[in-house]
Amino acid sequence: MAGSTLGNLFTITTWGESHGAAIGVVIDGCPAGLSLDEEDIQIYLDRRKPGQSRFTTARKESDKARILSGVFEGHTTGTPISIMVENTDQRSRDYGKIKDCYRPGHADYTFDAKYGFRDYRGGGRSSGRETIGRVAAGAIAAKILRQLGITITAYTRSIGDIVIPENEYHYDQITENALYMPNNDYAARASDYLAECIRKQDSSGGMIECAITGVPAGIGEPVFHKLDAALCSAVMSIGAVKGVEIGDGFQAAAALGSNNNDSFRLDAGKLTKATNHSGGTLGGMSDGSPIILRAAVKPTPSISQPQDTVMRTDCQELTDTTIEITGRHDPVIVPRAVVVVEAMTAVTVLDLLMRNMSSRLDSLIKFYRS
Amino acid sequence: MAGSTLGNLFTITTWGESHGAAIGVVIDGCPAGLSLDEEDIQIYLDRRKPGQSRFTTARKESDKARILSGVFEGHTTGTPISIMVENTDQRSRDYGKIKDCYRPGHADYTFDAKYGFRDYRGGGRSSGRETIGRVAAGAIAAKILRQLGITITAYTRSIGDIVIPENEYHYDQITENALYMPNNDYAARASDYLAECIRKQDSSGGMIECAITGVPAGIGEPVFHKLDAALCSAVMSIGAVKGVEIGDGFQAAAALGSNNNDSFRLDAGKLTKATNHSGGTLGGMSDGSPIILRAAVKPTPSISQPQDTVMRTDCQELTDTTIEITGRHDPVIVPRAVVVVEAMTAVTVLDLLMRNMSSRLDSLIKFYRS
Amino acid sequence: MAGSTLGNLFTITTWGESHGAAIGVVIDGCPAGLSLDEEDIQIYLDRRKPGQSRFTTARKESDKARILSGVFEGHTTGTPISIMVENTDQRSRDYGKIKDCYRPGHADYTFDAKYGFRDYRGGGRSSGRETIGRVAAGAIAAKILRQLGITITAYTRSIGDIVIPENEYHYDQITENALYMPNNDYAARASDYLAECIRKQDSSGGMIECAITGVPAGIGEPVFHKLDAALCSAVMSIGAVKGVEIGDGFQAAAALGSNNNDSFRLDAGKLTKATNHSGGTLGGMSDGSPIILRAAVKPTPSISQPQDTVMRTDCQELTDTTIEITGRHDPVIVPRAVVVVEAMTAVTVLDLLMRNMSSRLDSLIKFYRS
Amino acid sequence: MAGSTLGNLFTITTWGESHGAAIGVVIDGCPAGLSLDEEDIQIYLDRRKPGQSRFTTARKESDKARILSGVFEGHTTGTPISIMVENTDQRSRDYGKIKDCYRPGHADYTFDAKYGFRDYRGGGRSSGRETIGRVAAGAIAAKILRQLGITITAYTRSIGDIVIPENEYHYDQITENALYMPNNDYAARASDYLAECIRKQDSSGGMIECAITGVPAGIGEPVFHKLDAALCSAVMSIGAVKGVEIGDGFQAAAALGSNNNDSFRLDAGKLTKATNHSGGTLGGMSDGSPIILRAAVKPTPSISQPQDTVMRTDCQELTDTTIEITGRHDPVIVPRAVVVVEAMTAVTVLDLLMRNMSSRLDSLIKFYRS
């Protein structure tokens, strides 16, 4: 499978560069009959837009989504849905040193190493703008999941070393602060910290957490396309993510079995778990509990401090240099990446739900003989 | 793609249950011309065998690998390589409560939920024995990688809260202790801790680290089949793994950009990085530095303490109960999983190296026109 | 996807060479709950066995199928089903000129060209024995399809220029003659023709036809994984097949639209077609009529007449030579390939039926919310 | 894999409906460094445009291709190439009976059966306009193939029962007549026949032949993704194709082995074949000879004669009716499909050439160690 396609039944193929003509996604395998219009997409895209707070760049991006196919009379037809956002800011400009330099923490060098050259305008394909296609696809997947009783909520768990303790989550506050944190007090502290980062021409990392509720037990395809493996891959494929964990995750490495095991119990005749250290998966399949995933996001690599790096001279030779990355840049990637995590998660869960439909012969018989 | 197949060009399909007739793997897409015999496989399989120390179970498993196809006159032919290990211990026995109970921390319940019933003998498909096929495939991938100058070394970084500090790694000691730790002193402490776990009828988690050296820059397929995303998925698909990180991983979430960015510099005319916080990937492609991956492994779920759980009665109703899992069980999964992490990593890297060959038109032209 | 795996949800991976240790298949994604034992497989394998008439070789092949995984207490578990047939005749022998010659009409040369060398024993991977794995997988698919009310019947339509006219089919006679022809009189004529071929040290081609009934309308995935495209690919992948057509096939190239179009009409309130020129597909999806497929099978390439060819000398140089292929060989491939066509068809239809389950949102909602 | 994506390394994903906003394709995995501009695409698109002769519809379609991504400074970057053609004719119109009727020979009924409803405007996704995306992708693949010394030539071999004998091919005449036939005399006769069809409000089928030269031996992935199987699937996925054959194809079914086998011989030290009955493949891999493929194309299903059919009433009940399909329609599909066959062939061959690069270990070593 080529690099820009994800999924088996509900597949998404993103395309586009930061400063190319447009950016978009083709969603294939979307079930027919879903009520869908451009506003459904736009609501999600707006969540990743910059300029929403002083910690996201003030660049003006209109990012209006157009649905070009796959929807007829307000409903998905089952055929590929093509969604495009035109890049309004494509004027030729002077990219200066960025054209020849390898920015530390960016993919400039690796793109050159792989393909022999690169589209250096604004990060090209490795720009955060690539996630527009992911988010548009996620909006559709999430809309379907809601109809199945499944909700996905992502939020900022930490910025720098400001981490919200688990018992202080207030989910209703997530949309009350520009950092999408489920605790306004911690958000205020994080804001101060980010203001300090800006002053120091520096940036900060952070952590995104995502909770998925309503997934029936048994979703995921052992042994390689397990739910947790698929979620990790999807989330790790987001540019700045450096680690992913499920449930207790890395804490489980220090735990005892007697504590880490979640005992089963009956609650009103229904099997439940007394705890959820597993984070909603057992043997790589959903176990009916909320699925809890955390992603570590590195600090924004673009900082205006001078940094040592290497550049390619006109005669294609490498030479040492320093670079200061000018322009406005978010001091933190996390808040804008929250909706991207939600989108990747939605796409992955839906794909595995569709895949699961043929797991049992009796389901197949019921589907085709009734 | 079905659940038990991994990879795009170098693909592996594992099959088999813990107490079925046999267990195995089919490797398809292996390049022709590799010198290969059963001993190459056996060396790897022996590393995951139990009974090697007092912390791995004393069960006798012979696990002799047979190559059934794809090798002729000592070399791979390019056709599928089928490798099988017969299960010698298949005698009918009384599985007692395990047949009807959902063991906490195991996949019993989720297999039932997905498929309607399960092979309850020894964990069936979710048994650690399933990794035999993975390790056999990894042995082949690793042999090819060595011929390309790529080495993969996995080891135990921590057991419980006994974590080897990064500056105290002694790689030559990895094979000197039964826990595969790169520090014999820490291994001794971990042994004491595990002895204590056994006494308490408990088990411990731990962390595996894996270093891959020699991978040229540019390997990985943006934006979804990135090297880091593929590695995470492959490693997360191992039974007890609950988290995966690359480079600084979750530490990057608390870091500053000025510190997290690795500056580039020239060393004898060659581009290198001053540090390796990124863990060898930028934009999801290898950057030429060692690739560093860590996996969190949960404690062995089988413990002999009584645990609350739910069972299915003869009339298929659920009822609360308690279970004590008898028999000998490893107090820790980590040491036996080290070679599995190495195998999954080898398979993933090789697949992406093969995939990368057609990234540039000039390579294609050179390949077919010379 | 590697070369020896077919399918998306119901996937089969065949492995093994003609004179290797064994030959087999791994079926992954088979729905759980199917009653299955080795006899279900054996019945199909026996249909492709040689030695059943004077027109199939008298070589003794026992071909006993063993199920190694994926079946527990008589039912499929949803995990990979590994099926193996040991090659009983593996004694070392003198392969003589075959080792160094490129047999006309065989894959000897192309295997060498691709992989640098080949397993020359009995055709290696390109032997007809490779179809054992296909047929075993087809037996399982066909058993599932029967439970969905779908039947697949393949038979010999022609041998040489002896073609049964469409209005002289007697399906009950298919198993009454060794050539699997639905007309005993034509079968008798074909027998005489084949006897003549043997006398002349020659071989004959023929045509296989396959009818699939009971497939509901709408199966197939436009625009590339259409039902007809998938069937063609699956059947064309059988060694000696050189052409595939659906419905009127090549006759449609000479037809008028007014004649080729099948008009729709209501029959007891149900939509039917007045004719079936389309062969059961419209727009690449099943239209509810019987699906009719025909495959052209070339003559057995192994003939004992002397043939011009090229050989590779000890010093790896090419030189002109002639070859007479000794041993007994079927004068016609068709009768033994009938069950292989049936198997490939069954596997393809089942895969697309499973894939179709998530085509509509209302199905998805009904599946997960009821 | 979802229905609208084809290929493994060089993948194409088409999207769009006949009367939607636009129609397009995303090509992923295209090697970096190919010189490419919109004119390269347009030349191919113009070959499938209607209005070029009196036998193709006079509808005005501008079909201007825009490249939206994946090309920078005139060269492909290795990232997804998105190509879009806006549909200029989208005005709301009265679709009359077509909205509710199932046109004979069309996919109206099967789309409804699969998805519950359909985009009835101009055939929706099953319109011939969908091939715009295929042809755009084929233009790129063909440009790469030419740089590898591979040429693909498709042409009309027959219309109705007017078939050009093989020894009367004049390839230079293909572009000299509106029917793309390699013989102007036969083209003139076919023109008369089509004029007659128009007079009778009828349509005609025909046959397309395609010759691929310059493919090195060994391309194709046994046993399921063979070159011939992949070509058949790709060509059969074109709307009106009902049969595909390679080399002698269906004639081989009536042949003798002594005649059908192509003997090998040395020509100036190079292995060649004395004949090419196999059509350039042996064992599903290219054998170095020209690859010859033929596709049977059914008559245009849209004819203005009255036809019996079934319609869906306002209350969703089915009822018998008759339909006359008004508007101008090509009396034959073949000439416009010639370039589509060429495109599908190019895409398939390139994908398998890329796939073949990792077939041998020595190639892998040479690629990465030099």
Side-chain angles (χ1 to χ4, degrees), chain C residues 111-182:
Chain C
F111 264 92
D112 261 23
K114 186 178 194 70
Y115 297 114
F117 76 117
R118 73 182 190 280
D119 181 344
Y120 51 76
R121 302 166 302 166
R125 181 74 179 145
S126 68
S127 160
R129 280 188 68 74
E130 179 270 330
T131 62
I132 286 176
R134 302 178 182 226
V135 171
I140 296 174
K143 188 167 188 184
I144 292 175
L145 292 179
R146 281 194 299 273
Q147 301 202 21
L148 303 177
I150 297 168
T151 60
I152 302 183
T153 312
Y155 43 86
T156 301
R157 193 192 173 192
S158 74
I159 284 178
D161 55 10
I162 298 149
V163 187
I164 312 176
E166 275 181 53
N167 56 355
E168 296 187 38
Y169 285 178
H170 306 290
Y171 295 107
D172 54 322
Q173 298 182 10
I174 293 174
T175 53
E176 293 178 6
N177 61 79
L179 297 175
Y180 296 109
M181 294 184 92

Side-chain angles (χ1 to χ4, degrees), chain A residues 84-230:
Chain A
M84 178 175 75
V85 169
E86 302 221 30
N87 289 330
T88 49
D89 180 13
Q90 304 173 54
R91 66 174 185 278
S92 185
R93 67 176 83 172
D94 181 11
Y95 287 93
K97 273 192 118 169
I98 286 179
K99 184 180 167 190
D100 303 306
C101 271
Y102 295 135
R103 290 169 299 163
H106 278 279
D108 300 342
Y109 169 61
T110 51
F111 265 92
D112 260 23
K114 185 178 194 74
Y115 297 114
F117 77 117
R118 73 182 191 282
D119 182 343
Y120 51 76
R121 302 166 302 167
R125 181 74 179 144
S126 69
S127 161
R129 279 188 70 75
E130 179 270 329
T131 61
I132 286 177
R134 301 179 183 224
V135 171
I140 297 175
K143 188 167 188 184
I144 293 175
L145 292 180
R146 281 193 300 273
Q147 302 202 22
L148 303 177
I150 297 168
T151 61
I152 303 183
T153 312
Y155 43 86
T156 301
R157 194 191 174 195
S158 73
I159 284 179
D161 55 10
I162 298 149
V163 187
I164 312 175
E166 275 181 52
N167 56 353
E168 296 186 36
Y169 284 177
H170 305 291
Y171 294 108
D172 52 322
Q173 298 182 10
I174 293 173
T175 53
E176 294 177 6
N177 61 80
L179 298 175
Y180 296 109
M181 295 184 92
N183 185 310
N184 289 333
D185 293 340
Y186 279 84
R189 273 191 259 169
S191 289
D192 291 344
Y193 175 69
L194 291 174
E196 180 72 11
C197 285
I198 292 175
R199 264 192 302 279
K200 292 181 179 167
Q201 300 186 313
D202 214 330
S203 61
S204 173
M207 212 188 300
I208 295 170
E209 192 166 275
C210 184
I212 314 165
T213 61
V215 179
I219 305 306
E221 297 297 319
V223 295
F224 294 122
H225 305 292
K226 291 174 170 174
L227 176 58
D228 43 16

Side-chain angles (χ1 to χ4, degrees), chain B residues 140-150 152 345-346 349-350 353:
Chain B
I140 296 175
K143 187 167 188 184
I144 292 176
L145 292 180
R146 282 194 298 274
Q147 301 203 21
L148 303 176
I150 296 168
I152 302 183
T345 303
V349 169
L350 176 56
L353 279 162

